[in-house]
Amino acid sequence: MADEAASGPAVEKLSLKVKFLYGAGAIEYGARIFVMGLLLFYYNQIVGLPAAMVSLALSVSLLIDAFWDPMIGHVSDNLRTRLGRRHMLMYLAIVPFFVFFVLLFRPPEALTHWQTFAWLLTFLLLTRFSVSLFEVPAAALGPELAPDYHDRTVMMGVRYALLIGGGAVATSLGYFWFFRPTPLYPHGQLNPEAWGPLTLAVGVMMLVAMLICTVGTHHRIARLHQPPVRRASLKRTLGDVAATLKNWNVGVVVVAAMISGMAAGVYSGLGLYLATYFWGLPAQQVGVLEMARLVGAILAAFVAPPLSRRFGKKRTCMGLFFAAVTLNSAPYALALAGFFPEKGSAELLPLLIGFRFFGDTLTAGGYVVVTSMIADVTDDALAKTGRRSEGLLMSADSFLQQVTTAMSAMLPGLILALVNFPDRPAPGAVTDQMARELVMIYLPVTIAISTLSIATWGFFRIDQKTHERNLKTAREAMARVEAASESGEPPAVGAPVTSGRI
């Protein structure tokens, strides 16, 4: 039983309508995760670019993206415009992102490998930068919209369910419509003609989702925090950033995210390879398997909040993640040991669906709780510094994760090269032994990395009592900083505060 108290300061609870309007922005994220996760497969198996070169472009783009995210976050924390701190950047991002994303999947024909690499890297960088202008402020908007400790978890549950929903819709468009089998391509994901229409349709869906989120929360701008006018020298700006990031719980979040980013990079690159060549699934069956995530995410959105109330956020997320790693790894381990249905058998798909459904339900529940925990860190930093720095903190969470993911993005290409996986293969060129060797490397790597990331959350120190104490102190801390700003003196960062409500 958690020792989190039920009492606390009276704070506004968000309406369900606004939760859904805000969460709609995650539809873009879910759809983008699906499509961007196919980039290695598309450029390697469809375009014919060597896997190592594709992985290099992915790695470089993620590494650069990691450095501009905190800058965008800090800018959005301190931006003073008629449209507030967040919405101005969100509006500016939408159309450029759509254009760059569509061009990313349309490299001109008859290019050399290095020319194709240059096209891929250029539009990867443009796509990632434009979406960061939307995603970083949108993520930072969440903690301010829902300050209540448990209401925040509900909102993150809605957001995560819509994220998975966006991925499920994009998955359905791919595997059930555009990747339909043809006589020439019984595995429709290998059909070059399917990819252009798919990415255009998903691009339009993401465009609409971003507009719904931005326009749907526009009416909240007047109620959101406006940063005080400050004389922001470089020294003072760097001091503010250092004071905000000098927080134990920020360190826990960043390290856990950094480690999990390694596993995410490996899975993102190899997921469709494993489904296509290890399990031997045609596009429609891959789609059915992926659709299990939608139901799991919906269930997780209802299960995670009461579990976190009962056991506390930290214990809930760690338990859910450990169970998820076990279930998600079991089919591969059983298949390698000879205790799972063989490729092409009637029993294979139902069993995979069962494992995927329960594994992804647990994973989704863990991420719902973790997202709420990360939002709690922003209030902890606010109480200590008197500055609202959601953008900086939310992007700092992703900084080392993206740096690590950038490094690990090289791993899928290297693993494919290690097992001599062919580029743009002819039918039958990929042997069962190649696919088996792929899994024998993939499985222990992802289990070890995921377990280490989960264990890191054991060092997290914010519970409900801490959060409610932070809310009580935050208003007076902000007033102290505003007063110091008017006088031109630096604030007394971390000075004790004993009263106040927010």
Side-chain angles (χ1 to χ4, degrees):
M1 181 78 174
D3 61 352
E4 300 177 354
S7 62
V11 294
E12 178 189 8
K13 292 192 176 182
L14 210 59
S15 71
L16 188 59
K17 176 182 176 181
V18 177
K19 287 187 176 79
F20 272 98
L21 289 171
Y22 170 68
I27 294 174
E28 171 275 324
Y29 190 29
R32 178 164 47 88
I33 288 174
F34 165 70
V35 180
M36 299 294 276
L38 303 181
L39 266 175
L40 174 58
F41 189 91
Y42 170 72
Y43 269 88
N44 176 236
Q45 299 288 288
I46 305 300
V47 177
L49 192 62
M53 294 182 72
V54 182
S55 290
L56 178 61
L58 292 169
S59 180
V60 170
S61 68
L62 283 166
L63 187 61
I64 295 173
D65 186 33
F67 283 90
W68 64 49
D69 273 5
M71 289 187 286
I72 293 173
H74 186 64
V75 168
S76 76
D77 286 336
N78 296 281
L79 196 61
R80 291 179 59 89
T81 75
R82 184 171 54 87
L83 297 176
R85 297 188 296 162
R86 316 297 184 189
H87 285 76
M88 172 65 78
L89 297 177
M90 292 164 68
Y91 278 117
L92 287 175
I94 297 172
V95 173
F97 166 70
F98 173 76
V99 173
F100 297 142
F101 171 81
V102 169
L103 290 174
L104 175 62
F105 284 89
R106 283 156 180 79
E109 297 181 5
L111 297 180
T112 66
H113 281 342
W114 283 109
Q115 288 171 334
T116 304
F117 173 86
W119 180 278
L120 169 60
L121 181 58
T122 297
F123 284 100
L124 258 176
L125 289 171
L126 292 171
T127 299
R128 292 194 190 284
F129 179 74
S130 56
V131 81
S132 290
L133 286 178
F134 174 82
E135 184 61 34
V136 171
L141 187 61
E144 194 173 355
L145 285 176
D148 181 78
Y149 187 71
H150 292 298
D151 191 50
R152 174 175 289 169
T153 305
V154 174
M155 183 185 73
M156 295 306 177
V158 172
R159 179 173 166 82
Y160 193 80
L162 291 171
L163 182 154
I164 298 299
V169 172
T171 298
S172 300
L173 289 172
Y175 293 119
F176 299 136
W177 185 256
F178 294 108
F179 290 162
R180 287 173 297 178
T182 66
L184 186 59
Y185 297 101
H187 286 70
Q189 59 265 46
L190 296 173
N191 182 0
E193 300 299 322
W195 288 82
L198 167 64
T199 53
L200 180 60
V202 173
V204 171
M205 184 179 79
M206 293 191 291
L207 177 73
V208 173
M210 294 164 80
L211 282 170
I212 291 174
C213 174
T214 308
V215 176
T217 56
H218 185 102
H219 69 284
R220 303 285 301 187
I221 292 174
R223 309 177 70 175
L224 300 176
H225 172 70
Q226 276 277 17
V229 178
R230 308 172 67 225
R231 295 189 295 275
S233 66
L234 177 61
K235 180 179 179 180
R236 184 168 185 175
T237 297
L238 293 176
D240 289 349
V241 171
T244 298
L245 297 181
K246 190 178 178 181
N247 183 300
W248 172 269
N249 296 294
V250 171
V252 172
V253 168
V254 167
V255 171
M258 176 184 70
I259 299 171
S260 69
M262 296 176 64
V266 176
Y267 174 78
S268 176
L270 296 179
L272 188 54
Y273 285 88
L274 297 175
T276 303
Y277 297 112
F278 183 73
W279 299 120
L281 302 178
Q284 285 75 16
Q285 292 187 5
V286 177
V288 171
L289 188 60
E290 292 295 318
M291 286 295 290
R293 293 184 174 186
L294 172 62
V295 181
I298 294 173
L299 180 61
F302 288 99
V303 169
L307 285 177
S308 70
R309 285 178 182 271
R310 174 68 175 82
F311 299 106
K313 292 183 181 181
K314 181 170 73 175
R315 282 190 285 178
T316 298
C317 85
M318 293 179 68
L320 289 173
F321 280 146
F322 273 125
V325 170
T326 302
L327 281 177
N328 289 330
S329 303
Y332 295 103
L334 292 171
L336 291 175
F339 297 115
F340 211 70
E342 295 183 357
K343 183 166 61 175
S345 66
E347 298 84 7
L348 177 63
L349 183 61
L351 277 174
L352 288 176
I353 291 173
F355 277 101
R356 174 63 62 86
F357 168 74
F358 288 108
D360 280 355
T361 299
L362 296 170
T363 301
Y367 277 120
V368 167
V369 178
V370 161
T371 306
S372 182
M373 292 166 69
I374 293 172
D376 293 341
V377 175
T378 67
D379 293 312
D380 189 51
L382 169 61
K384 290 179 171 63
T385 67
R387 290 184 301 276
R388 301 207 70 107
S389 303
E390 295 92 345
L392 175 62
L393 288 165
M394 301 297 271
S395 57
D397 162 51
S398 68
F399 172 72
L400 283 181
Q401 180 183 11
Q402 285 186 254
V403 170
T404 311
T405 304
M407 302 305 178
S408 64
M410 289 296 298
L411 290 177
L414 295 175
I415 293 171
L416 291 168
L418 186 63
V419 299
N420 296 315
F421 213 91
D423 306 326
R424 204 172 185 175
V430 180
T431 65
D432 289 343
Q433 183 59 28
M434 288 180 186
R436 185 177 178 87
E437 290 175 359
L438 199 60
V439 172
M440 291 177 69
I441 299 172
Y442 163 82
L443 189 61
V445 167
T446 53
I447 289 176
I449 295 172
S450 299
T451 301
L452 184 58
S453 175
I454 297 165
T456 304
W457 284 108
F459 297 95
F460 194 76
R461 293 178 177 174
I462 300 175
D463 59 13
Q464 184 172 349
K465 288 181 179 179
T466 307
H467 175 75
E468 291 172 352
R469 189 164 57 246
N470 288 336
L471 288 180
K472 289 179 180 179
T473 62
R475 183 178 294 277
E476 189 167 334
M478 290 175 67
R480 187 171 61 242
V481 169
E482 290 176 0
S485 174
E486 292 174 359
S487 66
E489 296 295 327
V493 175
V497 180
T498 58
S499 65
R501 299 172 69 85
I502 187 170

